[in-house]
Amino acid sequence: STKQIPADDVNAQEMACLCVELYGAAARASEMAEPERIPQFMTPSLQHLSGLMSYYARDLTVCERLLRVFRDYAEQFVAMLNQEQCLALFRASADLLKSYSAHHCSSRVVTRPPSALEANLEEEQSYGDILCAIQLLIHLGTKDFIDVCTADNKGDSGTGINSSQVTDVIFFGLQQILPLMTQGLLQFPTLCVQYFSLVGFMMDTYPEKVCELPYDLFRSLLDSLLFGMSHEDSFVSKSSLCGVGGLVREHLRTGALGRHLAAHGDVFDGCSQRLLREVIFQPVIWDRLEPAGMALLPLAAVDLTRFAAVVSLIAPRFGPEVKQRRVQVAFERLMQPDVLSKVVSGGYEGRMNRLKFKRDFEIFVRDVHSFLVIQ
């Protein structure tokens, strides 16, 4: 018979969910004897499972279960897959994420949770699909997975693929998720940590690709990093601070943000101001001292005159003019010309200068916080 069962048929949906759950159980069976049998079983079915995402695109229940299968399979087995199995997982995951994002990211509306307790409950009940998508992207970005996928690549005739094809899929997924993260999902603890795990990896490994994002998406990513700088979770804050510093260093090294800065010249000014106001001049600084300093240094180096203007704008918070002057003098002592010039020339200050700046920055923070306490 050529009759096709409609996607909204209840019996078909139940059967699809049951089949997906059975594959999910196999994907979590990494501790069985001879676990290499699982990839042999899963690999031929991955593209068919991915196709279910298109067929049941409007059914979020089925979509989330499919994402969970791929997430669990990648998490449990990526280290033992051969190249053929890695490529099958990559291609099926790429199709899966494209179908998912087309139906569940662009039109998704996220509401801000009213309380921490309700945030935890709502996160678990309503946003499990986004969490699975983020975690799948993280697993696809691991070095082991990319190395196996790209091994023996010889262009069109090779068996592997270019590493850029893998990173393009990860950035595609990140671009779909970014608008959601700025609408309130960063208020959910687990989603927040997983999101910054993904962003931290991408910022550390592929900063040039981040700089190439369209401005609206770049701005969304930057806003999420600025939000994360002062987050109570130290992992989130350190990832955010390292991300901001990495962006500025990439610009110093390659001029990668020139296009964005030509149209929005105050981007770095806003970063400097929020870093000073929300992190360095706040009690939270002490568990994120080093990454805060390493974010501050390139922000000052990229344009010292504009950075000095930001400091002058913030100085009045210290009260009397004599204290404002002491703050400015403290900044002048901190920002040594030889260190700044080295950062400007190549984006990095060198090991010895880095150690010196870390010591000087701690002295600076202690000095400035004494003004805050006295006020």
Side-chain angles (χ1 to χ4, degrees):
S1 173
T2 59
K3 183 178 179 181
Q4 187 174 16
I5 300 175
D8 58 356
D9 182 88
V10 175
N11 292 325
Q13 288 177 332
E14 289 181 351
M15 185 63 71
C17 287
L18 177 60
C19 291
V20 171
E21 287 297 326
L22 290 172
Y23 276 100
R28 294 186 292 274
S30 61
E31 296 184 5
M32 66 177 285
E34 300 181 28
E36 64 275 4
R37 291 183 296 171
I38 297 298
Q40 295 170 6
F41 166 74
M42 293 287 291
T43 298
S45 301
L46 291 175
Q47 202 61 51
H48 299 294
L49 287 168
S50 178
L52 285 176
M53 181 68 84
S54 298
Y55 192 66
Y56 288 103
R58 301 188 183 280
D59 189 332
L60 189 57
T61 301
V62 177
C63 291
E64 181 178 342
R65 292 181 182 186
L66 286 166
L67 286 166
R68 191 181 301 125
V69 169
F70 277 76
R71 188 265 324 262
D72 291 344
Y73 179 58
E75 179 180 351
Q76 298 290 329
F77 290 95
V78 72
M80 65 179 75
L81 300 180
N82 61 32
Q83 186 179 59
E84 180 185 355
Q85 293 163 344
C86 276
L87 290 172
L89 174 59
F90 164 71
R91 290 171 177 137
S93 297
D95 292 342
L96 181 88
L97 289 166
K98 288 174 184 175
S99 296
Y100 165 72
S101 63
H103 293 90
H104 296 290
C105 287
S106 59
S107 60
R108 190 76 165 266
V109 177
V110 178
T111 57
R112 186 180 297 271
S115 69
L117 177 60
E118 292 186 34
N120 287 325
L121 293 173
E122 189 175 352
E123 177 183 44
E124 182 177 347
Q125 295 171 359
S126 303
Y127 303 114
D129 57 309
I130 299 175
L131 179 60
C132 288
I134 292 173
Q135 291 170 329
L136 175 58
L137 290 169
I138 292 171
H139 296 314
L140 295 180
T142 58
K143 185 177 184 301
D144 287 344
F145 183 78
I146 292 177
D147 286 348
V148 175
C149 281
T150 57
D152 302 323
N153 179 47
K154 300 177 182 177
D156 294 336
S157 60
T159 56
I161 58 175
N162 294 320
S163 61
S164 61
Q165 292 177 261
V166 182
T167 56
D168 284 348
V169 168
I170 298 172
F171 265 92
F172 170 80
L174 180 59
Q175 288 180 51
Q176 307 308 308
I177 291 167
L178 263 175
L180 300 175
M181 303 312 294
T182 59
Q183 292 179 28
L185 282 186
L186 290 176
Q187 303 295 326
F188 298 102
T190 306
L191 274 168
C192 184
V193 169
Q194 293 297 319
Y195 168 77
F196 281 104
S197 294
L198 174 61
V199 169
F201 166 76
M202 300 308 291
M203 298 292 292
D204 184 53
T205 313
Y206 308 106
E208 72 285 353
K209 283 187 169 288
V210 175
C211 295
E212 293 170 1
L213 290 173
Y215 181 75
D216 288 346
L217 287 171
F218 170 78
R219 185 74 240 187
S220 296
L221 176 62
L222 183 60
D223 285 342
S224 70
L225 292 174
L226 296 177
F227 167 85
M229 291 191 308
S230 58
H231 198 277
E232 61 184 12
D233 187 294
S234 62
F235 169 79
V236 170
S237 66
K238 290 173 183 176
S239 297
S240 301
L241 289 163
C242 290
V244 171
L247 275 178
V248 186
R249 290 175 189 277
E250 180 66 19
H251 175 70
L252 286 167
R253 191 173 65 84
T254 65
L257 290 174
R259 179 168 54 90
H260 293 331
L261 291 173
H264 308 274
D266 61 346
V267 168
F268 289 150
D269 297 346
C271 293
S272 299
Q273 189 169 144
R274 290 191 62 176
L275 175 60
L276 293 171
R277 285 184 180 275
E278 299 175 17
V279 181
I280 293 175
F281 294 160
Q282 296 295 330
V284 297
I285 182 62
W286 300 112
D287 70 348
R288 59 205 67 180
L289 188 67
E290 181 177 347
M294 291 302 104
L296 182 69
L297 180 57
L299 281 169
V302 74
D303 192 328
L304 190 55
T305 302
R306 295 188 71 134
F307 181 77
V310 171
V311 173
S312 298
L313 187 66
I314 293 175
R317 70 171 293 166
F318 292 97
E321 188 173 338
V322 63
K323 289 187 178 180
Q324 296 179 35
R325 181 56 189 157
R326 285 178 66 188
V327 172
Q328 292 172 333
V329 169
F331 270 111
E332 290 169 5
R333 284 199 303 267
L334 176 65
M335 299 302 172
Q336 296 294 318
D338 56 332
V339 178
L340 291 175
S341 63
K342 193 153 188 176
V343 176
V344 170
S345 64
Y348 293 94
E349 62 282 349
R351 180 176 176 275
M352 297 306 295
N353 284 330
R354 181 186 180 92
L355 292 173
K356 182 178 183 301
F357 184 81
K358 281 170 59 178
R359 291 193 297 268
D360 292 346
F361 182 66
E362 183 173 355
I363 293 171
F364 163 81
V365 171
R366 292 187 184 280
D367 189 22
V368 169
H369 274 255
S370 71
F371 303 159
L372 289 172
V373 172
I374 292 171
Q375 185 180 352

